[in-house]
Amino acid sequence: MRKIFIQTFGCQMNERDSERVLALALACGYREASSPEEADLIVVNTCTVRRKPEHKAYSLLGRFGRLKEKRPWLRIAVVGCLAQQEGERLLERFPQVDLVIGPDRIEEFPEALLKSEEGQRFCLVGFKEDPSQRVLLPPHLGVKAYVNIMQGCDNYCAYCIVPYVRGPEKSRPSEEILQEVRLLAERGVKEVTLLGQNVNSYGKKTPGELSFVQLLRKISEIPGIERIRFTTSHPKDLSEELIGAFKDIPQLCEHIHLPFQAGSDRVLKRMKRGYSREEYLRKIERLREVVPGIAITADVMVGFPGETEEDFQETLGLIEKVRFDNLFSFKYSTRKGTLASRWPDDVPPPEKQRRLEELQALQRKITLEKNKSLQGKLMEVLVEGFGERPGQLRGRTRCNRVVNFVGPRDLMGRIVWVRITEGLQNSLRGELPWEAKEAVCA
Ligand code: SAH
Ligand code: SF4
Ligand code: F3S
């Protein structure tokens, strides 16, 4: 039987797309390979949001190309955002590549595979107008799952390639989303994360469609769904209604990922983000007024064209003010075709590196302090897997922190109360409170 190996880069949307590719391949009779060396089909699911993941994809294509010298029947498919960006050029530059499939064409994977097995090499890119997506459940279903609710983005932030490689924003029909969530719940999924580049604008372009908050309410009515998360939110579209939803939808976890990108108005304006520093801070204040203790994470970048030391200090100042629970921070890299690519990439690489390190050191300190402040608290944890040490289980709090604690295996997939004993840099340690231990032993 033929075997498939999938290598994934990029965001959660790409991870979800890899699950869809795998589901389709398994339906075509493939089995999963445990390494690229034993695969008959290798799929590289690519990301092009920064230079680094793009280069990683190219170097993997080189490595997989060498495997093909030993296994000439091996087929290599490039899917994802680099596939959309480069299209036919990938076939021209890399003779080892058989198939190139853009993110909006994944459902055509089985037909494409069939043709490539007949020896054809080809490329399927571009965007469909139809916002529907087949319900394809992840082959390895655990206790939590991702659900796509929209594709693409209309924001065109000056630095960002996503609108070009994922196409215009379109919302998946709510009926389809609800059907998928119902099926997931029937199979034991307790937590869903709704995915989109800008989930706050769900349904806005489709007359008669539910709004994002209405969609959240409908999902919360599905029996078995105990936790709901979503990502990503755009600060300019974060409405009072959504902030209020945290209060009255009990399944909605107290965590929001709200990228701010920069702390200086001058930079935010040139990035075309559509909000000011003050407006961002005001939204954070509202979130904390309505949902005290809500965990807030974000994306930020350093070294955007024209970013001065003063601008950078404003970014640090914003981080100190908000005290994020965690941050994903990046060095700006020019993306071909974006507005910012017309401007000189004028912050020298060593300076970008220095700014990144300074920012990360500050955030590490804040993250550790915040994790330590949870010591002694009883927190609700969804048990997802085994911990790092023997006998340990691993789970997540509603505020999205990883907790390792000793407990019996039959707690797997269940929601339990855990007392936090130690806040570490990247996770928490905990223990089952004695009341729970008694209940477990009884
Ligand atoms: N839709 C999300 C972000 C998607 S991209 C949003 O609007 O926030 C994920 C993150 O990559 C971005 O938040 C940004 O911080 C970073 N990023 C995007 N383009 C980049 C670039 N050209 N250079 C460096 N980082 C970039
Ligand atoms: Fe990129 Fe901006 Fe769209 Fe996010 S909102 S995907 S950063 S263009
Ligand atoms: Fe990367 Fe595409 Fe996601 S460029 S971040 S994989 S949308």
Side-chain angles (χ1 to χ4, degrees):
M1 199 182 263
R2 291 160 305 174
K3 289 187 178 175
I4 175 173
F5 183 85
I6 308 186
Q7 180 88 48
T8 311
F9 301 109
C11 58
Q12 287 118 321
M13 270 166 247
N14 259 19
E15 285 174 36
R16 175 68 192 122
D17 284 348
S18 287
E19 290 175 348
R20 294 168 67 218
V21 169
L22 183 62
L24 291 166
L26 297 183
C28 294
Y30 278 79
R31 271 197 306 147
E32 245 183 299
S34 50
S35 73
E37 285 73 22
E38 62 170 43
D40 306 288
L41 168 65
I42 295 180
V43 179
V44 189
N45 193 355
T46 55
C47 170
T48 179
V49 78
R50 284 172 293 277
R51 198 174 299 131
K52 222 163 137 184
E54 180 171 356
H55 282 182
K56 232 164 142 183
Y58 286 130
S59 79
L60 264 188
L61 288 183
R63 187 181 142 211
F64 295 150
R66 287 189 290 281
L67 283 182
K68 206 166 177 167
E69 287 162 17
K70 287 182 232 143
R71 297 165 70 82
W73 64 90
L74 172 66
R75 235 142 278 289
I76 299 179
V78 183
V79 302
C81 296
L82 184 64
Q84 177 60 41
Q85 179 184 286
E86 296 299 312
E88 294 275 352
R89 281 195 296 267
L90 285 173
L91 293 179
E92 288 156 19
R93 271 184 67 191
F94 298 94
Q96 67 271 41
V97 173
D98 300 281
L99 278 177
V100 175
I101 305 180
D104 210 19
R105 307 290 295 270
I106 279 177
E107 286 176 21
E108 292 163 65
F109 189 71
E111 294 83 357
L113 202 53
L114 215 66
K115 286 192 195 154
S116 94
E117 279 166 6
E118 289 160 4
Q120 295 182 45
R121 298 173 73 220
F122 67 97
C123 164
L124 283 176
V125 290
F127 308 110
K128 305 178 297 171
E129 274 193 13
D130 181 5
S132 284
Q133 253 185 32
R134 259 177 74 182
V135 172
L136 287 168
L137 298 190
H140 304 291
L141 212 48
V143 73
K144 49 185 208 170
Y146 291 132
V147 177
N148 280 338
I149 66 162
M150 42 206 312
Q151 283 279 19
C153 179
D154 287 343
N155 283 317
Y156 290 93
C157 301
Y159 49 82
C160 187
I161 195 73
V162 171
Y164 305 90
V165 290
R166 289 268 168 171
E169 181 186 291
K170 55 185 187 196
S171 298
R172 189 177 178 200
S174 53
E175 260 321 307
E176 224 171 77
I177 299 169
L178 293 168
Q179 189 200 351
E180 188 164 309
V181 178
R182 268 185 229 114
L183 285 173
L184 289 168
E186 280 165 18
R187 283 162 178 73
V189 167
K190 294 202 168 120
E191 176 181 309
V192 287
T193 302
L194 310 180
L195 298 180
Q197 294 296 351
N198 184 11
V199 291
N200 308 149
S201 54
Y202 177 82
K204 282 191 185 155
K205 282 169 80 178
T206 321
E209 186 49 282
L210 300 180
S211 71
F212 182 54
V213 173
Q214 286 168 332
L215 178 69
L216 287 173
R217 284 191 209 288
K218 289 260 186 212
I219 292 176
S220 72
E221 288 161 11
I222 296 177
I225 296 300
E226 299 190 35
R227 287 180 167 195
I228 307 172
R229 302 181 188 278
F230 55 84
T231 193
T232 295
S233 301
H234 195 301
K236 78 173 161 57
D237 299 314
L238 175 63
S239 63
E240 263 302 307
E241 193 196 3
L242 179 57
I243 297 177
F246 278 102
K247 228 180 144 156
D248 53 45
I249 302 181
Q251 295 91 334
L252 201 53
C253 291
E254 295 80 9
H255 167 224
I256 189 163
H257 185 67
L258 197 63
F260 67 100
Q261 312 298 1
S264 125
D265 279 338
R266 207 181 66 92
V267 175
L268 284 171
K269 198 157 180 202
R270 281 156 43 81
M271 285 178 164
K272 299 213 170 302
R273 287 290 287 175
Y275 53 85
S276 66
R277 175 191 176 91
E278 266 327 294
E279 281 161 348
Y280 183 84
L281 289 171
R282 180 74 200 120
K283 297 238 163 148
I284 299 288
E285 209 177 289
R286 276 301 293 149
L287 277 163
R288 286 183 168 152
E289 271 165 21
V290 178
V291 200
I294 187 170
I296 301 174
T297 57
D299 296 344
V300 56
M301 71 181 84
V302 297
F304 185 71
E307 184 190 73
T308 61
E309 179 60 27
E310 203 185 326
D311 294 323
F312 172 62
Q313 290 302 326
E314 288 200 44
T315 294
L316 293 183
L318 188 142
I319 294 170
E320 288 194 79
K321 204 163 182 157
V322 175
R323 291 180 59 80
F324 292 95
D325 292 81
N326 211 349
L327 268 182
F328 298 88
S329 45
F330 310 102
K331 287 186 275 188
Y332 167 78
S333 59
T334 306
R335 301 286 75 199
K336 240 182 339 195
T338 60
L339 177 62
S341 70
R342 300 187 208 155
W343 307 329
D345 185 4
D346 54 1
V347 180
E351 181 56 19
K352 279 187 191 164
Q353 185 62 27
R354 179 196 66 82
R355 291 182 192 177
L356 186 72
E357 283 171 19
E358 197 172 323
L359 185 155
Q360 289 180 337
L362 170 62
Q363 184 56 44
R364 266 198 306 276
K365 181 173 141 285
I366 297 172
T367 302
L368 183 61
E369 283 167 6
K370 292 203 111 181
N371 286 349
K372 283 196 182 302
S373 75
L374 298 174
Q375 283 170 199
K377 289 211 160 39
L378 258 184
M379 302 189 88
E380 191 204 281
V381 171
L382 174 60
V383 185
E384 298 173 359
F386 293 107
E388 299 148 344
R389 300 186 186 163
Q392 266 188 349
L393 298 173
R394 177 177 43 80
R396 244 169 227 272
T397 63
R398 287 175 63 98
C399 61
N400 213 27
R401 284 177 170 86
V402 171
V403 188
N404 289 292
F405 63 99
V406 173
R409 316 167 64 104
D410 60 358
L411 291 186
M412 196 67 79
R414 290 185 25 202
I415 290 181
V416 292
W417 287 94
V418 173
R419 192 182 311 284
I420 305 307
T421 52
E422 204 178 348
L424 306 169
Q425 188 66 62
N426 300 314
S427 63
L428 307 174
R429 274 201 198 120
E431 61 179 18
L432 288 171
W434 67 267
E435 308 90 305
K437 273 188 222 150
E438 288 223 324
V440 165
C441 297

